[in-house]
Amino acid sequence: MLVNISLEEAQNQILQHSHPLDAEYIPIMSALGRVSAADINAPVDLPGRDQSAVDGYALCGVADKYHLIGAGKPGEVPQSLLQPGQAFAVSTGGNLPDGTLAVIPHEKTELQDDYLFPREKVKPGNNIKQAGEDFPRGSLLINSGSIVGAAEISLLAAFGVANIEVYRQPRVAVLCLSKNIISWTSNPELGQMRDSNGPLLGSLVIRDGGIPVACSTAVTDAIALKSTAARLLEQADVLIITGGTYADGENESCSLMKDLGAEVLYWDVPVQPGSHTGFSICNSRQIFALSGNPAACAVGYHLFAAPALKAMQGLDPGLKRIRATCSNGFSKKAGSRRFVRGQLMWTEAGWQVTVLPGQKPSMIRSLLQCNALIDIPAGSPPIDAGREVSVIVIETLKT
């Protein structure tokens, strides 16, 4: 077991054991936000044949007048082969007859009996959607490892693709070891607190594409605790333990990992908040130990667990970093490396990050409106307002 290792070393240990999960086929209407597990190519041209881009007339050849020989109906494939000097009425999106040189809008023509007189120059290809213009047959539609959005679902539907192969979503269970923590749905007695970490982690797991399968609070009996943890591991790909990382010199969560037969890969990472943290593997399942303090728990999730969940879905697990100006500064020196919760936004002067109030590890306040972690190196002096800092983006940014 590695002890007191750097953040980067810890993340490397985690990612060495984080691989894409098995793939599964699901209906495209259930695929929003999922990750494609295979490349998808166009089986046919889109559109399938030449179509009109406007309501008007398909023309063959360049002439001063055209003989109107018919009109197309929506969805119909014209059987007529246009000859030079002939025209055929079409609607927007309608299939064009073979021999069409261009399409001219209704409003750019004069119609006298069965003859059409153009009021603008006829240019080859005008107002024609070419077969395969959007996607030619064989072209790449969706890359493996792409997040499926509404546009991708629309595209697959246009080709009649009913199901898509995606990576299975990681299943995540949460176990709280703090003895004074009760279910968030219960009424606390004196000295007790409701569990806020379980709902926090469950929400973050959903946001990151996973499935929270269970959230349990601790039992006092050691045998029952081991049984509970083992049961959770059977349900999940990942077990996140909160609390019990350090109390009276004991690491209850580390001891529990070992009792489960897990291989503890590291323990302690010198970061604030939440330095007492660890990671282990138990029968290919991952176990994370995070602080029981809400802010420290959230920081630990973003730094350690979130990259693993991304990797399990075939996504890039790397943390997104940018440089930003700190608008209000941070008055504390950094003994060990510190991650300060902040709100990142784009301004006319560039990226700006504001240190949020309530930076104690035990406080939830700093998580509100938090979309970034300010990465302050160990031994740094206080941060003055206006100083440029390194920022890890943890939420989708709104610019």
Side-chain angles (χ1 to χ4, degrees):
M1 177 177 71
L2 301 173
V3 178
N4 205 37
I5 63 175
S6 70
L7 170 63
E8 288 71 23
E9 288 176 300
Q11 291 172 332
N12 183 56
Q13 288 289 318
I14 293 167
L15 294 180
Q16 283 183 24
H17 294 83
S18 302
H19 308 289
L21 299 174
D22 295 337
E24 60 183 355
Y25 280 93
I26 63 172
I28 62 170
M29 290 306 295
S30 300
L32 186 65
R34 299 291 295 273
V35 182
S36 173
D39 290 346
I40 302 176
N41 297 309
V44 295
D45 287 336
L46 184 70
R49 56 176 292 132
D50 291 352
Q51 296 177 341
S52 175
V54 297
D55 291 335
Y57 300 95
L59 306 178
C60 182
V62 177
D64 295 329
K65 69 175 182 178
Y66 297 84
H67 182 212
L68 184 60
I69 64 169
K73 297 179 180 179
E76 178 182 76
V77 177
Q79 300 302 311
S80 304
L81 172 63
L82 285 186
Q83 302 293 335
Q86 292 183 334
F88 189 85
V90 292
S91 57
T92 301
N95 295 309
L96 296 176
D98 292 337
T100 299
L101 176 71
V103 176
I104 188 170
H106 280 296
E107 60 272 20
K108 300 296 184 180
T109 66
E110 290 183 10
L111 190 62
Q112 296 180 11
D113 297 326
D114 290 335
Y115 285 91
L116 186 76
F117 295 87
R119 292 195 285 116
E120 68 175 14
K121 185 176 180 180
V122 176
K123 297 180 181 179
N126 257 20
N127 301 310
I128 293 178
K129 296 190 291 183
Q130 303 286 342
E133 178 180 87
D134 202 353
F135 288 92
R137 181 177 181 175
S139 62
L140 183 64
L141 302 179
I142 298 177
N143 281 308
S144 175
S146 298
I147 296 177
V148 179
E152 286 76 13
I153 291 172
S154 170
L155 178 60
L156 294 176
F159 281 99
V161 177
N163 299 294
I164 181 173
E165 187 179 11
V166 296
Y167 289 112
R168 181 170 64 77
Q169 296 173 278
R171 301 182 299 265
V172 182
V174 178
L175 174 61
C176 173
L177 295 189
S178 300
K179 301 298 188 293
N180 65 326
I181 300 298
I182 62 173
S183 170
W184 64 276
T185 60
S186 301
N187 293 318
E189 297 179 359
L190 187 64
Q192 293 181 327
M193 296 179 63
R194 294 186 180 92
D195 176 28
S196 62
N197 286 336
L200 167 71
L201 292 170
S203 300
L204 290 172
V205 166
I206 292 172
R207 183 204 68 177
D208 291 336
I211 301 174
V213 294
C215 181
S216 297
T217 51
V219 292
T220 55
D221 180 79
I223 296 177
L225 177 59
K226 178 181 177 182
S227 176
T228 298
R231 175 177 52 82
L232 293 177
L233 272 177
E234 290 178 355
Q235 303 176 50
D237 303 294
V238 176
L239 173 62
I240 300 177
I241 301 173
T242 66
T245 55
Y246 188 80
D248 299 325
E250 297 293 329
N251 296 322
E252 185 181 2
S253 52
C254 186
S255 297
L256 177 59
M257 289 177 175
K258 293 177 180 178
D259 287 345
L260 291 168
E263 179 188 3
V264 182
L265 298 180
Y266 70 78
W267 194 265
D268 279 351
V269 178
V271 296
Q272 292 180 312
S275 62
H276 300 299
T277 182
F279 175 71
S280 64
I281 294 295
C282 184
N283 297 325
S284 77
R285 290 172 168 80
Q286 297 185 351
I287 307 177
F288 291 89
L290 303 180
S291 171
N293 285 318
C297 178
V299 170
Y301 172 85
H302 292 303
L303 295 180
F304 304 113
L309 296 187
K310 292 179 181 178
M312 289 180 184
Q313 298 170 85
L315 294 172
D316 180 0
L319 299 175
K320 180 180 180 181
R321 290 179 177 270
I322 63 174
R323 303 291 294 181
T325 300
C326 186
S327 65
N328 56 346
F330 186 67
S331 60
K332 291 186 177 182
K333 297 179 181 178
S336 57
R337 189 174 180 180
R338 184 188 292 269
F339 290 90
V340 174
R341 279 74 68 206
Q343 183 178 25
L344 182 66
M345 63 183 67
W346 177 258
T347 69
E348 292 182 356
W351 287 111
Q352 178 176 290
V353 64
T354 301
V355 174
L356 292 167
Q359 289 290 325
K360 290 182 179 179
S362 60
M363 298 175 68
I364 298 175
R365 179 180 295 274
S366 69
L367 302 181
L368 302 178
Q369 306 301 317
C370 176
N371 61 1
L373 300 176
I374 304 171
D375 187 354
I376 303 177
S380 294
I383 296 176
D384 296 326
R387 176 179 160 186
E388 189 179 63
V389 292
S390 176
V391 173
I392 297 173
V393 181
I394 59 174
E395 292 278 0
T396 302
L397 296 176
K398 298 177 181 179
T399 58

